[in-house]
Amino acid sequence: MLDKEIESLIEKELERQNSGIELIASENYPSKEVMKAQGSILTAKYAEGYPGKRYYGGCEIVDQVEGLAISRAKEVFGAEYANVQPHSGSQANFAAYRALLPGGGRILSLDLNDGGHLTHGSPVSFSSHLYSFSHYALGNDGRLAYDSIRKAIDENKPDLLLAGFSAYPFEIDFAKLKEICDEQGAKTGKPLLFMVDMAHIAGLVAAREHMSPLPYADVVTSTTHKTLRGPRGGLILSRRLDLARKLDSAVFPYSQGGPLEHVIAAKAVCFLEAMQPSFREYIKKVKENTLAACLTLKRLGAKTSGTENHLFLLNVLASYRLDGKEAQNLLESIGITTNKNMIHGDSLPPSRCSGLRIGFAAATTRGCTAENAVEIATVIDRALKGGGLAPLKEKVKSIVAGWKDISDL
């Protein structure tokens, strides 16, 4: 490699990830096949527009690439429509809002402190500048309170209900939410649109390990790099073909220019991988490992959210008298990467938080077992209780020594 500085930094990052335990719930490791497609010659091709309707010549091959990605996405998720061009989940959401509410409007989403996303109405996001957001909160048990959502709809009269969250550890009843939307529509005489951002649970949905939102939502958005284990990118799905033109136009030319065909090729690869029986077994192991760690921490006296998917929340303030930032830094010093996170009823600001968000998608990709998950939870507990860090760091090294090298996935 000509650029030795970048080469050195890449090698250092590979070593950092190989020698540690990745528990950030939104991160994962793509396969060599996914990375090969993303690093291919397709990165050199401009292809503004859509297959068969490009603004550049020489698109015969990339049309086939994008067509494969579209057809596979539809097959994996049972969709009638798919747009694989969004560069990120945030841009997928931007386009979905535009298609559904072209003149602006009112959106009801989960309170950001309870596990929503920046693009679900944060004051620092484009979403709150272009749309009027109101929020529903979790119940006292940290779960979605469907009666409270129904009440929030009555009070705020939104044009669109948004579900799908970045830090919610339980299953989501999309059928119930659709039922609530239909009730409101019948009451007011105006349909209440329903949108789902399934970025975190896309892999679980693909593996049939979580209820799919596709039969119920008007539009579903996602990323492809979390539990789906693909390249970093976005995705829009729907069963409503009447929305296809609006959604396509909202992506290109409204919010994006040339699509990243090398990333789209990598998305096609990950969709094919998600259709394999081994992927469902992988997702089952992710859930098993997450539950094993959560139950272990609870047994050791920590306050956790509980879990039914790939993540859980650990209340480090109540459990260890540390804020989230302190706990995150402490664990990182022994080779365990997590991220601070707000929890329901949090008394601390976002810069500190009271909790950690912990997920096992990435660790499971490398070979983490349920027994490893118990060991990891024990190490976390000892570290946060003030145990000796040197032996705990060695324990982390011994755990990952039995896992796959990231370069060989």
Side-chain angles (χ1 to χ4, degrees):
M1 188 172 182
L2 176 63
D3 193 330
K4 297 302 179 184
E5 291 177 278
I6 289 296
E7 182 178 30
S8 175
L9 291 171
I10 291 173
E11 289 175 352
K12 288 178 180 177
E13 177 62 9
L14 178 61
E15 172 58 26
R16 183 193 72 81
Q17 294 195 27
N18 262 326
S19 62
I21 297 174
E22 180 57 74
L23 297 182
I24 294 177
S26 54
E27 295 191 8
N28 211 332
Y29 301 113
S31 68
K32 287 187 291 186
E33 287 77 11
V34 167
M35 291 194 286
K36 182 179 179 180
Q38 187 165 2
S40 69
I41 189 59
L42 296 174
T43 191
K45 188 70 194 90
Y46 241 117
E48 284 188 350
Y50 290 99
K53 297 179 181 179
R54 304 289 190 182
Y55 288 78
Y56 288 79
C59 292
E60 295 85 358
I61 305 302
V62 294
D63 277 2
Q64 295 177 59
V65 169
E66 190 166 335
L68 267 176
I70 290 169
S71 63
R72 289 175 180 177
K74 290 193 291 187
E75 183 177 354
V76 170
F77 293 106
E80 297 295 325
Y81 164 89
N83 190 309
V84 296
Q85 290 194 7
H87 300 333
S88 68
S90 292
Q91 292 204 239
N93 286 344
F94 183 95
Y97 295 154
R98 168 68 182 183
L100 293 171
L101 300 173
R106 299 183 299 276
I107 300 175
L108 181 68
S109 65
L110 180 67
D111 189 293
L112 302 176
N113 291 352
D114 278 356
H117 186 260
L118 285 175
T119 58
H120 298 179
S122 167
V124 300
S125 164
F126 73 86
S127 54
S128 65
H129 291 257
L130 299 179
Y131 302 91
S132 176
F133 275 83
S134 52
H135 302 285
Y136 52 92
L138 297 177
N140 291 332
D141 59 357
R143 294 175 179 265
L144 290 172
Y146 294 95
D147 286 341
S148 295
I149 294 173
R150 185 180 282 107
K151 182 179 179 182
I153 289 172
D154 284 335
E155 293 175 349
N156 295 284
K157 298 177 173 56
D159 301 301
L160 184 151
L161 175 65
L162 177 60
F165 321 110
S166 67
Y168 186 67
F170 305 111
E171 290 213 25
I172 306 166
D173 191 338
F174 297 118
K176 173 63 71 175
L177 292 171
K178 173 60 173 173
E179 178 184 309
I180 293 171
C181 289
D182 289 345
E183 289 174 3
Q184 183 69 9
K187 186 186 304 182
T188 63
K190 177 185 175 183
L192 174 57
L193 294 166
F194 182 30
M195 174 178 156
V196 172
D197 177 349
M198 68 168 185
H200 261 274
I201 59 170
L204 282 71
V205 172
R208 310 296 187 262
E209 286 293 320
H210 191 292
M211 175 188 288
S212 171
L214 264 298
Y216 310 104
D218 295 287
V219 174
V220 175
T221 61
S222 183
T223 55
T224 52
H225 56 273
K226 298 184 177 77
T227 52
L228 199 52
R229 209 161 54 175
R232 301 189 70 84
L235 175 67
I236 303 175
L237 301 164
S238 182
R239 284 192 172 180
R240 289 187 54 182
L241 289 177
D242 60 306
L243 293 173
R245 180 172 294 183
K246 292 180 179 179
L247 288 164
D248 281 348
S249 296
V251 175
F252 174 83
Y254 186 75
S255 61
Q256 292 187 178
L260 308 177
E261 291 295 339
H262 57 303
V263 179
I264 289 172
K267 291 176 184 179
V269 175
C270 92
F271 297 147
L272 180 63
E273 291 177 346
M275 287 188 267
Q276 307 309 309
S278 58
F279 185 80
R280 183 169 190 181
E281 292 306 310
Y282 157 70
I283 290 295
K284 286 182 176 179
K285 289 179 181 177
V286 171
K287 293 174 69 175
E288 290 171 2
N289 292 342
T290 306
L291 180 60
C294 185
L295 291 176
T296 299
L297 282 163
K298 183 177 180 180
R299 177 176 56 80
L300 293 171
K303 185 175 181 181
T304 68
S305 61
T307 181
E308 295 171 353
N309 57 23
H310 65 296
L311 65 85
F312 64 91
L313 299 172
L314 173 61
N315 187 333
V316 292
L317 186 64
S319 304
Y320 305 104
R321 297 184 180 179
L322 297 170
D323 65 39
K325 181 65 173 177
E326 292 170 331
Q328 175 185 307
N329 289 343
L330 182 58
L331 292 178
E332 189 165 357
S333 73
I334 63 170
I336 297 178
T337 311
T338 61
N339 66 279
K340 64 183 186 296
N341 209 92
M342 302 288 284
I343 60 174
H344 179 61
D346 210 320
S347 60
L348 297 179
S351 60
R352 292 172 60 201
C353 307
S354 296
L356 292 179
R357 184 183 64 168
I358 296 175
F360 275 81
T364 304
T365 294
R366 291 191 62 193
C368 179
T369 64
E371 291 76 16
N372 290 155
V374 171
E375 291 179 293
I376 292 167
T378 303
V379 169
I380 289 172
D381 181 70
R382 289 176 180 170
L384 298 183
K385 283 178 176 175
L389 298 184
L392 294 178
K393 191 171 185 177
E394 290 304 312
K395 180 62 176 177
V396 167
K397 289 181 179 179
S398 71
I399 293 172
V400 301
W403 293 357
K404 299 174 186 175
D405 187 287
I406 294 168
S407 300
D408 296 328
L409 296 175

